[in-house]
């Protein structure tokens, strides 16, 4: 239909515009609300329905969280965007962090045997025990050994000196102990200057393991170390741990060495002793791990050892893992690891460490892994992601480790943020907290909640993460149920505390 005169045009146009606008606006507002709701439901923990008490606790938690984030927007000082070494003291002042410390976090599923007890204890307690000797390699790297009498000099290290005598010679013992501590962790106030690239930080990381090994592998210290690791996590409201252990030989003062079986038995005995005095603690399990840079035949041998140990200690040994810096050199060997048949000993190829090299994730999935260590690259592999989703295979996210080892700098940009937004199965863990100057799980929960989770992650996310850690553990179904009951009781108490305080 033709409109009569030009004078009619403005009116008509206005009318059309008004219709279009209102249509457009309502369409947008419907879609926006709809999309937001949809995203809320997709998020990790989104579908959880909170109780009235939990809603109250959530309100209070989110009030604190948003206040801290708003403050950070003003000051531009936001701990998850900073390096952990510089952010740690700020995190400790956060009220959200204090709530996270109180929170029952369930289990820590991705930890390494010699990186979990605060290094301060090694310095102030272990190096002060009698018969502790020190020597320096040609590169100036320290080594320790407990022995009596003083061990003979080897060509790899300087003369062994009794640490007690060495301390008498140093000018200032406090300063010496501080320098030991600096040698035992990666912590520095200027990480960006000291650790210019991944290789530099990895090299120091390996040097630390080498240095502290002689302390931890001394039998009496080993027992105390295992006990203390449980204690530190228990104090951080973690009730169960799965520890990746190399099971290197443990030695006695006489120089006598123990084998892997002795170590597994010791883990078991010490855990039982800990549970006697901490009845709510569920226990620990060992994931026997080996260095993936080793020769294929050596790895095949360790898989056989792992299967043997699992047969002997079915309640303690949970699986097998290859650990180390995932780089190009080691790719080929992982693939070949699939040949030893895991059928006989029912050993699962668990928990593959997929840090920087994407292909590790695919290999792990092909080996029917039940969890993926780190899974840093998973969001870049839609098919692998879909597959792990379908098979309910979670990733083990260790935010601080990823940052310190230079995979990501600002934790708001951690690739797992996208996976958290779609509710991909995951757990939070702390890898080697003692190496990073952290402790337990709370620091990593803080980074995950405030940094990776962004504004929207709330109590539902936290609750889901804690429940996931129980669900994806290697415990038996009945054990998981018991664990869940104990956790739930603690959770309810935590909720009541947060809601009313
Ligand atoms: C180290 O700690 C243990 C308890 O874990 C204690 O019995 C021992 O006396 C301490 N040793 C030193 C040298 O501080
Ligand atoms: C030793 O060093 C510490 C830390 O640098 C210092 O506080 C202390 O005064 C020094 N002690 C002596 C006896 O010089
Ligand atoms: C490690 O210890 C040695 C010997 O005490 C010291 O000279 C060095 O500065 C320490 N390293 C660091 C990074 O503090
Ligand atoms: C993984 O599981 C599939 C199907 O369940 C099976 O065919 C395959 O042999 C398994 N692979 C390994 C390495 O166990």
């Amino acid at each position: 239909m033709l409109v009569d005169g030009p004078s009619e045009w403005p009116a008509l146009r206005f009318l059309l515009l008004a219709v279009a606008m209102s249509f457009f606006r309502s369409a947008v507002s419907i879609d926006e609300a709809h999309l937001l709701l949809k995203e809320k439901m997709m998020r990790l923990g989104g579908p959880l329905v909170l109780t009235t008490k939990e809603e109250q606790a959530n309100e209070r938690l989110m009030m604190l969280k948003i206040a801290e984030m708003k403050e950070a927007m003003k000051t531009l000082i936001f701990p998850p965007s900073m390096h952990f070494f510089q952010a740690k003291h700020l995190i400790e002042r956060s009220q959200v962090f204090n709530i996270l410390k109180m929170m029952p976090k369930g289990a820590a599923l991705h930890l390494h045997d010699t990186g979990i007890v605060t290094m301060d204890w090694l310095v102030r307690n272990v190096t002060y025990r009698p018969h502790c000797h020190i020597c320096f390699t040609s590169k100036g790297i320290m080594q320790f050994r407990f022995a009596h009498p003083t061990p003979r000099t080897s060509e790899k290290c300087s003369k062994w000196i009794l640490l007690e005598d060495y301390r008498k010679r140093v000018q200032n013992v406090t300063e010496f102990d501080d320098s030991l501590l600096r040698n035992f962790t990666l912590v520095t106030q200027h990480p960006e200057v000291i650790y210019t690239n991944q290789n530099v930080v990895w090299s120091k990381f390996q040097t630390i393991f080498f240095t502290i090994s002689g302390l931890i592998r001394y039998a009496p210290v080993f027992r105390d170390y295992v006990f203390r690791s449980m204690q530190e996590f228990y104090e951080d409201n973690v009730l169960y741990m799965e520890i990746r252990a190399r099971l290197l030989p443990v030695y006695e003062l006489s120089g006598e060495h123990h084998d892997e079986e002795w170590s597994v038995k010791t883990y078991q005995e010490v855990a039982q002793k800990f549970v006697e005095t901490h009845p709510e603690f569920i226990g620990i399990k060992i994931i026997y791990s080996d260095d993936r840079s080793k020769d294929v035949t050596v790895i095949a041998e360790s898989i056989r050892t792992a299967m043997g140990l699992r047969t002997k200690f079915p309640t303690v040994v949970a699986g097998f893992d290859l650990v180390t810096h995932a780089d190009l050199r080691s790719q080929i060997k992982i693939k070949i690891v699939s040949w030893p048949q895991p059928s006989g000993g029912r050993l699962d190829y668990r928990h593959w460490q997929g840090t920087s090299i994407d292909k590790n994730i695919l290999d792990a999935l092909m080996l029917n892994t039940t969890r993926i260590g780190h899974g840093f690259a998973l969001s870049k592999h839609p098919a692998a992601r879909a597959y792990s989703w379908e098979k309910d295979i979670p990733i083990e996210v260790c935010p601080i480790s990823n940052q310190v080892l230079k995979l990501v700098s600002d934790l708001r940009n951690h690739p797992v943020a996208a996976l958290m937004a779609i509710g991909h199965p995951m757990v939070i863990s702390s890898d080697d907290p003692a190496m990073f100057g952290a402790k337990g799980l709370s620091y990593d929960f803080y980074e995950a909640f405030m940094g990776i989770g962004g504004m929207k992650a709330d109590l539902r996310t936290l609750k889901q993460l804690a429940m996931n850690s129980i669900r994806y553990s290697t415990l038996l179904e009945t054990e998981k149920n018991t664990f869940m009951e104990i956790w739930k009781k603690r959770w309810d108490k935590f909720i009541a505390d947060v809601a009313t305080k």
Side-chain angles (χ1 to χ4, degrees):
M1 184 191 89
L2 265 170
V3 180
D4 273 341
S7 63
E8 301 292 321
W9 271 104
L12 185 66
R13 277 198 357 231
F14 179 78
L15 191 71
L16 279 174
L17 195 65
V19 169
M21 282 295 284
S22 74
F23 172 78
F24 192 61
R25 220 180 295 128
S26 69
V28 164
S29 67
I30 283 172
D31 265 0
E32 191 175 305
H34 181 70
L35 286 179
L36 282 176
L37 184 68
K38 213 168 154 183
E39 289 198 345
K40 184 167 182 248
M41 293 303 287
M42 286 167 85
R43 199 172 302 130
L44 192 77
L48 288 179
V49 179
L50 299 185
T51 64
T52 316
K53 262 264 152 24
E54 282 175 330
E55 288 286 5
Q56 275 170 14
N58 191 30
E59 226 164 81
R60 181 151 172 276
L61 173 70
M62 291 310 279
M63 202 184 70
L64 294 171
K65 173 170 175 171
I66 289 164
E68 285 180 15
M69 283 184 140
K70 283 203 169 138
E71 178 66 19
M73 282 171 188
K74 254 193 272 160
T75 59
L76 298 182
I77 298 171
F78 185 50
S81 72
M82 300 159 65
H83 195 287
F84 178 69
F85 299 162
Q86 291 151 342
K88 188 185 166 197
H89 71 285
L90 300 173
I91 295 174
E92 282 161 358
R93 276 190 240 149
S94 151
Q95 295 203 59
V96 171
F97 176 68
N98 278 313
I99 291 179
L100 293 173
K101 277 209 300 197
M102 287 160 52
M103 184 180 105
K105 288 170 278 292
L109 301 183
H110 187 117
L111 301 170
H112 294 280
D113 51 356
T114 57
I116 41 184
V117 174
T118 40
M119 296 295 179
D120 203 57
W121 177 75
L122 281 189
V123 175
R124 321 248 173 241
N125 181 295
V126 174
T127 69
Y128 276 91
R129 296 188 188 196
H131 312 298
C132 186
H133 293 77
I134 187 170
C135 75
F136 298 87
T137 68
S138 57
K139 286 185 184 157
I141 298 167
M142 300 175 185
Q143 275 196 278
F144 296 91
R145 169 116 41 105
F146 286 89
H148 187 69
T150 297
R152 246 182 287 136
T153 311
S154 83
E155 67 264 34
K156 289 192 191 131
C157 213
S158 67
K159 206 159 116 320
W160 288 106
I161 309 163
L162 198 60
L163 201 47
E164 204 182 322
D165 294 341
Y166 193 85
R167 276 205 173 91
K168 279 181 200 146
R169 280 195 246 152
V170 300
Q171 285 192 336
N172 184 326
V173 173
T174 316
E175 260 173 28
F176 172 70
D177 284 354
D178 289 346
S179 88
L180 282 186
L181 192 60
R182 282 198 303 276
N183 274 284
F184 288 4
T185 74
L186 288 169
V187 178
T188 156
Q189 272 317 296
H190 307 285
E192 66 290 339
V193 178
I194 308 282
Y195 306 124
T196 44
N197 61 49
Q198 278 190 14
N199 290 348
V200 175
V201 71
W202 260 94
S203 156
K204 168 107 196 237
F205 194 53
Q206 274 159 342
T207 302
I208 295 172
F209 279 123
F210 177 71
T211 293
I212 63 176
S213 168
L215 294 172
I216 298 173
R217 282 165 49 211
Y218 175 45
V221 175
F222 182 75
R223 283 192 202 91
D224 289 354
Y225 191 94
V226 173
F227 192 89
R228 222 183 145 80
S229 66
M230 288 181 271
Q231 193 164 10
E232 288 192 2
F233 277 78
Y234 180 84
E235 282 164 8
D236 197 37
N237 284 301
V238 175
L239 292 182
Y240 170 74
M241 301 150 84
E242 291 188 1
I243 301 172
R244 284 154 161 89
R246 301 280 299 275
L247 303 179
L248 296 173
V250 172
Y251 68 94
E252 299 284 351
L253 202 58
S254 63
E256 184 204 346
H257 280 72
H258 300 293
D259 61 5
E260 292 104 342
E261 209 175 305
W262 183 93
S263 299
V264 174
K265 220 163 103 202
T266 303
Y267 271 111
Q268 186 177 32
E269 282 166 9
V270 174
Q272 275 162 2
K273 201 174 121 211
F274 188 81
V275 170
E276 274 168 28
T277 45
H278 305 80
E280 291 199 323
F281 192 77
I282 302 296
I284 54 176
K285 274 191 203 288
I286 299 301
I287 295 160
Y288 182 53
S289 49
D290 207 340
D291 191 330
R292 69 156 60 110
S293 59
K294 274 190 191 164
D295 194 73
V296 176
T297 50
V298 179
I299 290 176
E301 186 53 38
S302 1
I303 292 175
R304 274 185 217 106
T305 307
M307 290 194 275
L309 288 171
R310 184 173 165 88
T311 310
K312 271 206 182 109
F313 303 95
T315 58
V316 191
V317 178
F320 182 75
D321 183 35
L322 285 182
V323 293
T324 199
H325 187 188
D327 66 5
L328 285 165
R329 273 165 298 164
S330 53
Q331 255 195 58
I332 310 140
K333 286 164 185 168
I334 306 162
K335 274 184 81 177
I336 307 172
V337 155
S338 57
W339 67 258
Q341 279 308 306
S343 48
R346 206 197 87 78
L347 182 93
D348 301 326
Y349 292 100
R350 279 170 206 280
H351 331 303
W352 236 266
Q353 184 121 313
T355 45
S356 54
I357 289 300
D358 306 13
K359 210 165 162 308
N360 294 345
I361 293 177
L362 309 182
D363 288 335
L365 290 173
M366 290 314 104
L367 288 170
N368 302 330
T369 186
T370 50
R371 294 202 303 260
I372 298 173
H374 297 296
F376 193 82
L378 193 65
S379 59
K380 288 191 262 173
H381 287 277
R385 192 194 62 69
Y387 181 81
S388 68
W389 172 284
E390 187 190 310
K391 296 275 175 190
D392 201 19
I393 300 168
I395 49 174
E396 303 163 334
V397 183
C398 306
I400 294 171
S401 166
N402 293 162
Q403 187 193 50
V404 171
L405 298 176
K406 294 182 87 76
L407 293 171
V408 57
S409 58
D410 182 335
L411 285 170
R412 291 174 297 186
N413 300 333
H414 196 294
V416 153
L419 298 180
M420 206 180 252
I422 56 165
H424 194 88
M426 68 177 70
V427 296
I428 301 296
S429 199
S430 51
D431 215 7
D432 296 286
M435 293 276 182
F436 316 134
K439 188 178 182 181
L441 272 192
S442 292
Y443 291 95
D444 284 278
F445 259 83
Y446 171 88
E447 303 282 20
F449 184 56
M450 297 291 279
I452 301 174
M455 263 313 183
K456 297 287 170 63
D458 65 4
L459 189 71
R460 290 174 186 83
T461 312
L462 295 172
K463 188 178 182 186
Q464 189 69 56
L465 285 169
M467 292 194 305
N468 279 0
S469 74
I470 299 170
R471 172 163 165 210
Y472 295 118
S473 71
T474 64
L475 291 165
L476 300 173
E477 282 310 311
T478 54
E479 292 169 326
K480 285 184 192 176
N481 293 341
T482 311
F483 189 177
M484 198 63 96
E485 267 169 40
I486 293 171
W487 172 81
K488 184 74 174 49
K489 239 183 248 155
R490 288 182 159 229
W491 176 261
D492 289 342
K493 183 171 177 306
F494 160 72
I495 290 300
D497 287 349
V498 175
T500 54
K501 241 180 255 158

